[in-house]
Amino acid sequence: MSEQNLVARPITCDSKTNLYPFFESCLKEVTDSKRKKFASVTFETNYSDPLAILEKIHSPSRPICYYEKPMDEFSIACGEAVSLEKFNGSDRFSKAKTWAKNLFSRTLVAGNHKVEGSGPTIFLNATFEESSKDDSYPSLQTFLPRWQILRKCGSHLITINSEVFSNSSPETLAKKTSALLHKLTGVRDQSPIENPPVKVKLSDPIEENDYELSVEKALNAIDNGNISKIVLARKLSYRTDRQIPYFSIAHTLRNKFPDCYTFCISTPDNNMFIGATPEILSRVSGTSLITEAVAGTAPRGPSADKDAHLGKRLLGSNKEVHEHRLVIDSILRRLSSCGVTDCREGQTRLLRLANLQHARTPIYGKLADNIHPFDTLSALHPTPAMGGSPREKALPLVKEIEKFNRGWYSGIAGWLDSRGRGEFMVPIRCGKISPNKLTLFSGAGIVNGSISSKEKAETDLKLQAMLNVITGRSDLSSQ
């Protein structure tokens, strides 16, 4: 690289960096290629809390994403869209892969983006179903944000993205970028938003179906040998006495469930999809891939001895071990089918959350050069932990029994940066917040030996996380 290009594309950037030469070089590339480009500048900054900044500057009409896992010291938020696309159908991940490759190839980068989740990063949401007719839940939505804020261990970075056209002004681009940076960093100096804790009152829930009857239908299909496992969801709708403060809910969730990924994602109809999920679909970095099987559930105990007993029983239960093994074997098969090599499973351990504990097994693999992260998403989604096994028989039965579309619940949410690093989670333990309305989702895996009343009780436990944070109560009835 020439000395001139090193000057034009600074390796590190802060608020004092002169960005005019960089944008001038971007404009030259647009002129030479006769194609629009994207410019991405990453700034190093001091301490920032992505959620706090998002709460201050959020505009309801603009898309946002927020993900945080306190245990990993990772938090990222982004907003607005420089480029946004939606895909539908069985080839949605293939189309998204083509779009992502094209976008990254046309993006010019300045600043330090060595930390995962920095530099140009696209954010993705996908429904459980491969096709969607609901505009509020696109089958697959990807976008490059106007801005993103990252906190990873000791690094604090802000990335600002811009479109560069043949008639763009380098001076204007530089000024707008600096102004947005000043807006994002200036939030720290403003007085905090006064949001006193308010517990929302809910109506009695309206449920889409009789869950215990649904479980009995599933057990009949298992007894007939059609399937070995199926996951059935519940959908409960409540009327609320006021607007639920979703950023305050996210703040409480991240503090209560540090082992989970707290997420807050705007929907195209300007509502908010929010929750705290314990399940990662895949984590990629270069040729390394990590996924996990999370299946089998038990409550937490009131004492250390009782808690340990419940955990030991979970890991030794024939029914739970069988359910967990189905998920592991299916994931290993699917990874191998899409070209992932060196697949192996790690040690099964307990994942202990505030109100539940699960059996969790990490699974590792190696990506070949021709395998894109979106190829693995297509192969893995939905895992038996969300749909069932065998997939081709379980998924039609899920639709037949549940009789509602799950949308983004048990779908995919995550991000991928231009260096091939990314993380994708499965949105569960969550709900959709609308004006004066709350919709909650929960599910359980049904296998041979399942008892309908116990499966419903398990879903009640899972619903408690959101209910307790929103209302201060854990039962499903109205106040």
Side-chain angles (χ1 to χ4, degrees):
M1 183 178 289
S2 69
E3 183 176 343
Q4 181 179 356
N5 282 333
L6 281 171
V7 174
R9 299 188 188 182
I11 298 173
T12 60
C13 295
D14 59 25
S15 59
K16 298 178 182 179
T17 301
N18 178 15
L19 293 173
Y20 182 89
F22 169 65
F23 285 115
E24 189 176 42
S25 70
C26 293
L27 182 59
K28 185 178 185 306
E29 295 219 18
V30 170
T31 303
D32 292 344
S33 66
K34 296 181 173 58
R35 295 183 67 197
K36 179 183 77 171
K37 300 282 186 179
F38 298 94
S40 182
V41 186
T42 296
F43 299 90
E44 298 180 31
T45 183
N46 51 17
Y47 177 81
S48 61
D49 181 347
L51 180 60
I53 294 175
L54 182 61
E55 184 175 20
K56 280 288 189 70
I57 70 172
H58 171 57
S59 173
S61 62
R62 295 178 177 177
I64 63 104
C65 285
Y66 157 75
Y67 306 111
E68 179 162 0
K69 190 175 184 182
M71 190 63 70
D72 291 348
E73 295 186 71
F74 178 88
S75 179
I76 192 169
C78 69
E80 306 177 41
V82 172
S83 181
L84 184 150
E85 290 292 336
K86 299 176 183 179
F87 307 96
N88 201 31
S90 59
D91 59 349
R92 54 182 171 163
F93 293 104
S94 177
K95 291 177 179 177
K97 175 178 70 173
T98 301
W99 176 85
K101 285 183 173 181
N102 178 269
L103 184 144
F104 285 145
S105 71
R106 294 162 56 201
T107 302
L108 308 171
V109 180
N112 182 355
H113 59 295
K114 293 181 180 179
V115 179
E116 60 184 35
S118 63
T121 302
I122 58 175
F123 292 79
L124 175 148
N125 303 104
T127 57
F128 172 79
E129 301 84 8
E130 67 179 20
S131 296
S132 174
K133 296 179 181 179
D134 185 352
D135 290 338
S136 63
Y137 289 115
S139 175
L140 193 158
Q141 173 179 284
T142 57
F143 75 96
L144 177 71
R146 170 71 169 146
W147 57 266
Q148 71 199 52
I149 304 164
L150 171 71
R151 184 179 73 207
K152 172 64 175 175
C153 297
S155 298
H156 300 269
L157 302 166
I158 293 177
T159 298
I160 296 176
N161 302 305
S162 307
E163 291 178 287
V164 185
F165 302 94
S166 59
N167 61 347
S168 294
S169 162
E171 182 178 8
T172 301
L173 288 169
K175 285 183 177 179
K176 287 185 175 181
T177 299
S178 296
L180 181 52
L181 176 65
H182 178 74
K183 177 182 178 181
L184 295 171
T185 56
V187 167
R188 296 190 303 265
D189 301 324
Q190 298 176 12
S191 299
I193 297 174
E194 296 297 334
N195 279 330
V198 175
K199 296 303 181 183
V200 178
K201 292 184 179 180
L202 306 179
S203 69
D204 283 326
I206 298 174
E207 188 158 5
E208 294 286 334
N209 51 37
D210 183 324
Y211 192 71
E212 291 190 38
L213 180 59
S214 297
V215 172
E216 293 299 333
K217 292 178 181 178
L219 288 171
N220 288 336
I222 293 172
D223 290 342
N224 293 335
N226 297 327
I227 55 173
S228 54
K229 176 183 179 179
I230 186 171
V231 180
L232 295 179
R234 297 173 66 187
K235 180 180 179 181
L236 292 83
S237 298
Y238 301 82
R239 302 304 301 179
T240 65
D241 68 337
R242 68 192 70 196
Q243 173 66 49
I244 298 174
Y246 33 78
F247 293 128
S248 295
I249 299 301
H251 175 63
T252 304
L253 287 171
R254 69 176 177 176
N255 289 335
K256 189 172 183 178
F257 299 100
D259 277 331
C260 292
Y261 251 110
T262 294
F263 59 90
C264 199
I265 309 164
S266 61
T267 62
D269 57 354
N270 298 327
N271 294 308
M272 201 65 69
F273 198 66
I274 184 171
T277 178
E279 186 143 348
I280 299 298
L281 184 62
S282 73
R283 180 186 294 119
V284 294
S285 181
T287 61
S288 172
L289 177 142
I290 302 175
T291 182
E292 59 188 23
V294 179
T297 303
R300 298 300 303 270
S303 66
D305 182 60
K306 182 63 175 179
D307 198 48
H309 172 73
L310 291 170
K312 184 178 180 180
R313 190 171 67 181
L314 170 62
L315 294 179
S317 163
N318 289 335
K319 182 257 184 186
E320 303 292 354
V321 169
H322 172 59
E323 180 182 351
H324 196 71
R325 190 71 243 173
L326 286 172
V327 176
I328 293 172
D329 291 343
S330 176
I331 290 174
L332 290 170
R333 285 196 306 271
R334 294 180 189 181
L335 289 176
S336 297
S337 72
C338 73
V340 177
T341 59
D342 298 336
C343 298
R344 60 184 178 86
E345 62 185 270
Q347 180 68 40
T348 300
R349 301 185 187 279
L350 286 174
L351 170 62
R352 285 193 164 105
L353 307 177
N355 62 331
L356 294 169
Q357 47 190 328
H358 304 284
R360 177 172 66 179
T361 302
I363 298 172
Y364 308 92
K366 184 177 180 180
L367 296 176
D369 291 339
N370 63 333
I371 304 298
H372 191 273
F374 287 1
D375 294 328
T376 62
L377 296 184
S378 180
L380 289 171
H381 176 68
T383 70
M386 294 299 121
S389 183
R391 181 197 291 185
E392 62 275 8
K393 292 183 178 180
L395 295 188
L397 190 58
V398 167
K399 184 175 182 179
E400 176 186 332
I401 294 177
E402 290 182 351
K403 294 183 172 60
F404 62 84
N405 288 329
R406 295 186 185 180
W408 285 351
Y409 167 72
S410 68
I412 305 174
W415 55 270
L416 179 72
D417 69 26
S418 61
R419 291 192 169 189
R421 305 163 299 192
E423 194 154 10
F424 303 92
M425 64 213 70
V426 182
I428 56 176
R429 318 289 160 83
C430 60
K432 182 180 180 181
I433 296 175
S434 311
N436 301 115
K437 184 179 179 182
L438 170 68
T439 304
L440 295 181
F441 300 89
S442 180
I446 314 302
V447 296
N448 186 32
S450 293
I451 299 172
S452 58
S453 59
K454 289 185 176 181
E455 299 302 330
K456 184 175 183 181
E458 178 182 320
T459 62
D460 287 344
L461 281 173
K462 293 173 179 177
L463 287 163
Q464 283 180 9
M466 288 291 288
L467 282 170
N468 182 259
V469 169
I470 292 170
T471 69
R473 303 169 70 249
S474 298
D475 58 278
L476 306 185
S477 62
S478 64
Q479 290 100 130

